Amino acid sequence: NMATGKVMETNVEVSRREFEAQFQEARKEIADALRNQDSAAARVARKMHREIDEKDQKIVREGEALQKSLVEMYAKEEARVKERIDQMKQQWKQTAQTKEQRLMRGGGALS
């Protein structure tokens, strides 16, 4: 009986060792799979970050181009407005001079 008990104990130990070996193997496979998944996820994340960076840079470039064209447009508009104001001042001066000359000619009447 003692011998049988010892043999059974050994069978339990053997099956426990086999189970642990299988468990370790399965654990290794899972760990490898997770590592691969992590590196795949990291690759996707890097790609997405790169695309986001490229889009950001594109938006910045478009924004700068828009800003530049707006500045140019406003500069032209400002120049046009200043020119128009100068023209109006000239007209006003000429009109004032004409009225003054008429008054000086002694006509008295403004027409």
Side-chain angles (χ1 to χ4, degrees):
N1 259 2
M2 282 288 281
T4 314
K6 189 127 178 106
V7 169
M8 281 180 77
E9 196 177 24
T10 308
N11 284 347
V12 167
E13 282 174 12
V14 167
S15 49
R16 184 161 177 230
R17 250 196 322 274
E18 284 173 0
F19 172 76
E20 281 179 355
Q22 287 174 353
F23 179 75
Q24 289 300 335
E25 190 57 38
R27 213 167 135 198
K28 186 179 176 306
E29 280 178 33
I30 290 170
D32 289 348
L34 286 174
R35 256 196 305 278
N36 291 339
Q37 203 176 26
D38 281 352
S39 64
R43 272 197 306 277
V44 170
R46 277 196 301 272
K47 184 173 182 266
M48 286 173 69
H49 279 298
R50 214 174 24 250
E51 287 173 2
I52 289 169
D53 284 346
E54 286 168 6
K55 281 182 184 163
D56 282 352
Q57 288 167 5
K58 187 180 175 207
I59 288 169
V60 166
R61 281 194 306 271
E62 287 173 355
E64 286 170 349
L66 181 63
Q67 185 68 32
K68 191 178 171 206
S69 60
L70 279 175
V71 167
E72 287 170 2
M73 194 173 76
Y74 283 124
K76 283 179 193 164
E77 192 62 24
E78 193 181 8
R80 211 173 58 77
V81 168
K82 281 181 178 171
E83 195 180 313
R84 185 79 184 105
I85 289 171
D86 288 345
Q87 285 174 354
M88 289 168 80
K89 280 182 182 171
Q90 276 310 114
Q91 285 176 339
W92 179 77
K93 277 183 190 169
Q94 286 171 350
T95 307
Q97 282 173 353
T98 306
K99 283 181 181 174
E100 233 175 83
Q101 285 167 357
R102 281 189 190 144
L103 281 172
M104 286 173 78
R105 270 190 233 123
L110 288 174
S111 54

